[in-house]
Amino acid sequence: MTRIVVLISGRGSNMRAIVEACRDGRLDAEVVAVISNRPDAAGLEFAARQNIETATLDHTHFDDRNQFDAKLEALIDSFNPDFVALAGFMRILNKALVDRFLGKMVNIHPSLLPLYPGLNTHARVLEAKETRHGASVHFVTPELDAGPVIAQTEVPVLPSDTEQTLATRVLLTEHELYVHALQLCVSGTARLGNDECYRGTLKSTAQRGADSALNGPQ
Ligand code: GRF
């Protein structure tokens, strides 16, 4: 069985979606461990209740980023994963760690990459008066949020949107998107270096709902 280690920093709703998809067979894999850099990450409790191994590596206990990343690499390695899924993991990883898991490490980012890498994507999208927004799952490469995209979802930005309503709409699509993108990886369809696989877009159930709210049923 394909082994996935999920890294979180907080709520962990994407991690939960991945775990549930493994359990109900939509994702042909097993979450073997959930690692957090924050001891208070709410997602840890869910994982523990599911009898998934959890580990915390508190970055505030390290003076030096490279020391933290070296320890994290060893911790991830100890679970012998086929894939490492960053799911709301709020740490920038150094090149050595990224290179170590190149082609095996994926991340979910709340924007239509290559648009809006970095933080505060929803606020920046509203500020720029964009009409479309979304989420992307991409392979992690040393440059932040710049690795090849595996799959994306798109949602409309509504005139009435606040940062919160937009974040909620995007998050609803993220869960299905992450499962879809991971299944592409697990099945070998999406591989780093195989340009063919980067074209997939997923119209999620939530997005279809948003489309029909805007444009009528399709
Ligand atoms: C998601 O919006 C994800 O795209 C971003 O951080 C958020 C994490 O949410 N990287 P959760 O912890 O998975 O609920």
Side-chain angles (χ1 to χ4, degrees):
M1 182 67 94
T2 300
R3 299 167 65 81
I4 299 178
V5 168
V6 184
L7 271 57
I8 64 170
S9 295
R11 180 177 52 192
S13 70
N14 278 289
M15 174 272 295
R16 186 180 179 136
I18 294 166
V19 168
E20 286 169 353
C22 289
R23 297 262 155 99
D24 70 21
R26 279 174 295 137
L27 180 51
D28 203 7
E30 180 188 3
V31 174
V32 292
V34 173
I35 299 173
S36 171
N37 66 311
R38 297 182 55 116
D40 59 350
L44 286 172
E45 265 178 47
F46 168 81
R49 279 202 307 274
Q50 302 295 311
N51 295 319
I52 295 170
E53 269 204 69
T54 59
T56 301
L57 192 63
D58 188 340
H59 65 280
T60 64
H61 295 171
F62 293 80
D63 296 331
D64 177 62
R65 178 180 293 279
N66 290 333
Q67 275 173 18
F68 172 80
D69 282 11
K71 273 269 192 262
L72 181 60
E73 178 178 333
L75 181 59
I76 297 170
D77 249 339
S78 72
F79 295 106
N80 194 23
D82 299 295
F83 292 98
V84 180
L86 309 185
F89 185 65
M90 301 303 286
R91 296 282 305 170
I92 293 176
L93 300 172
N94 71 17
K95 184 171 175 344
L97 179 52
V98 170
D99 282 347
R100 170 71 183 72
F101 296 107
L102 200 64
K104 292 179 158 192
M105 186 181 272
V106 297
N107 179 44
I108 187 156
H109 181 77
S111 81
L112 291 171
L113 290 173
L115 300 174
Y116 302 99
L119 295 174
N120 303 320
T121 58
H122 309 303
R124 287 154 62 209
V125 160
L126 287 174
E127 175 68 27
K129 301 200 181 333
E130 300 279 8
T131 56
R132 314 154 45 236
H133 187 32
S136 308
V137 174
H138 64 94
F139 283 110
V140 175
T141 55
E143 201 188 332
L144 183 69
D145 299 329
V149 169
I150 299 163
Q152 292 185 315
T153 44
E154 194 180 308
V155 301
V157 181
L158 305 179
S160 57
D161 265 330
T162 62
E163 199 178 328
Q164 191 51 51
T165 60
L166 189 54
T168 303
R169 188 175 312 116
V170 171
L171 187 69
L172 275 173
T173 73
E174 287 186 30
H175 299 156
E176 198 178 345
L177 172 68
Y178 215 164
V179 169
H180 170 74
L182 277 169
Q183 182 58 32
L184 290 176
C185 293
V186 168
S187 66
T189 308
R191 272 176 287 128
L192 192 67
N194 167 11
D195 283 348
E196 292 298 306
C197 75
Y198 305 138
R199 307 289 164 239
T201 50
L202 172 72
K203 238 183 185 201
S204 72
T205 315
Q207 186 194 342
R208 287 191 295 272
D211 283 351
S212 63
L214 269 189
N215 308 322
Q218 297 179 332

